[in-house]
Amino acid sequence: MRHIKKSYLIIILILFIISCPNHSVFQGLDKPNTEKITTFTGTKLLSELEKNVDSQMFYKLLTDSEREQILSNLDDIISSSKNPDTITKAASFAVDILINTDSLVYAVIYDLVDPIIFAITGKDITASSIFATCTEPIQKAVSLPLQEGLQVISECFYNLFRITAYYDVAAISATYGSYSGGDLQKYLVSGLVSSVISGTQDAMNVSSDDIKNISEDVSEVFVNAEKQDVSNILSYLFTEIPKKLGETGLNIALAYKNQLLEKANILEKIAGNAGYLNLAKAAIKVLEAWAK
C-alpha cells in the first residue's frame, strides 16, 4: 500500500515538474510593451511571446482588447503555416494566454485536489460527477451579482472551448516532444467542461461563430441549476439547454458523448506526443466508455 502511494506521489511530482516552464527566473521582469506586441505577426510575434509567456507581469498588463488582437494574430499563424512546430507553438501560446488572463479558467484547470488524469479513473467516477468536480470554481461564481456572474461564467465556458479547440487543431500534426505532462491536465479539464458547449453546437448544426452565444445560454442554465441546487448538473444541462434555445428536439446528451470520444482521440495524441501514453491509457478508456 505504501509502495502504491509513493508511486502515485512520484508520478504527480513528475507531471508537475514537466509542466513547469524551464526559463530563467529573471525572464519577464522587464515591463513588457503589450500594446506594441499586438502589432507583431508571424515569427516576430512568436519570438516576443517566447520572452513573455511565463511572465505574470505580461498577463497583468495585457488588456482584453490586446489579448484578443494577439490571439487573432496567432490564429493567422495557425491557419497560414504548414510547419507543425510553428502551429503547435502558436496554439500553445494561445492556450497559456487564455488560462492566465481568466482567473476562473485558471481555477477550473488547476484547482483540483488530484490531477484530472487520476481523478477520472477513480472508483465510481461518472461523467456527471467529474463534470461537477471540474466546475466547482464556476459554481462559486454564481454567488456574484447576477449580471457580473453570468458574464464571468460565460467567458469561462467560451475560453475553455477555445483552449480545447487550439489543442484539437495543433495536436494532430504536432511533432514528438511538443507537449508535456501539464498539457494532459489542460486538455482533459477544458475538454470535459467545454464539451457541453461544442456538443450543443454540433446538435444545433451551427458554425463556431455561434459559440459565444451558446456559451451565454449555457451559462444561464448553469446558474439556474446552481440556484436550484440540482444534484446532477450535467443531466440538468442536457434537459434544460434545448428548452432555453427553443430547440426541444436537440439531443445534447448524445452530442456530449460524441465529444468525449473525440477528446479521447486527441488526448491519445497529446499523451503519446508527451511520452505519457501508458499513463493516459486508463483515462482514455474511461472517456471511450462514457461515449457509449
Side-chain angles (χ1 to χ4, degrees), residues 118-241:
F118 295 110
I120 199 175
T121 56
K123 186 178 180 181
D124 299 324
I125 295 295
T126 64
S128 296
S129 62
I130 201 69
F131 182 88
T133 298
C134 290
T135 55
E136 281 181 6
I138 305 179
Q139 295 165 31
K140 295 175 183 177
V142 173
S143 62
L144 295 170
L146 182 58
Q147 290 307 314
E148 180 185 354
L150 283 173
Q151 182 177 352
V152 169
I153 293 171
S154 174
E155 190 73 10
C156 177
F157 275 120
Y158 179 56
N159 286 335
L160 288 170
F161 170 86
R162 292 205 283 179
I163 289 169
T164 308
Y166 278 119
Y167 277 112
D168 289 345
V169 74
I172 295 173
S173 60
T175 55
Y176 183 81
S178 298
Y179 294 114
S180 70
D183 290 297
L184 301 179
Q185 177 86 359
K186 296 173 187 176
Y187 184 72
L188 253 181
V189 178
S190 61
L192 284 166
V193 177
S194 70
S195 284
V196 171
I197 307 297
S198 51
T200 301
Q201 175 198 12
D202 284 352
M204 293 179 68
N205 193 27
V206 295
S207 73
S208 57
D209 294 336
D210 295 289
I211 291 298
K212 200 151 193 176
N213 291 331
I214 292 173
S215 299
E216 291 173 359
D217 290 326
V218 170
S219 297
E220 289 188 32
V221 178
F222 186 91
V223 169
N224 288 335
E226 286 304 308
K227 288 185 175 180
Q228 296 178 41
D229 196 23
V230 173
S231 58
N232 190 326
I233 190 168
L234 196 54
S235 293
Y236 181 87
L237 292 175
F238 293 158
T239 302
E240 297 300 320
I241 290 173

Side-chain angles (χ1 to χ4, degrees), residues 26-73:
F26 297 105
Q27 188 172 19
L29 289 181
D30 288 336
K31 190 174 180 180
N33 187 337
T34 54
E35 184 177 2
K36 186 175 181 180
I37 293 173
T38 64
T39 66
F40 296 158
T41 58
T43 56
K44 188 172 183 179
L45 174 60
L46 296 180
S47 177
E48 192 65 26
L49 290 178
E50 187 96 47
K51 303 173 187 175
N52 291 285
V53 77
D54 297 313
S55 166
Q56 286 306 309
M57 177 64 73
F58 171 65
Y59 299 117
K60 185 177 180 180
L61 294 173
L62 199 63
T63 65
D64 290 345
S65 61
E66 288 172 346
R67 179 188 71 172
E68 292 307 313
Q69 184 58 59
I70 291 173
L71 290 174
S72 177
N73 293 345

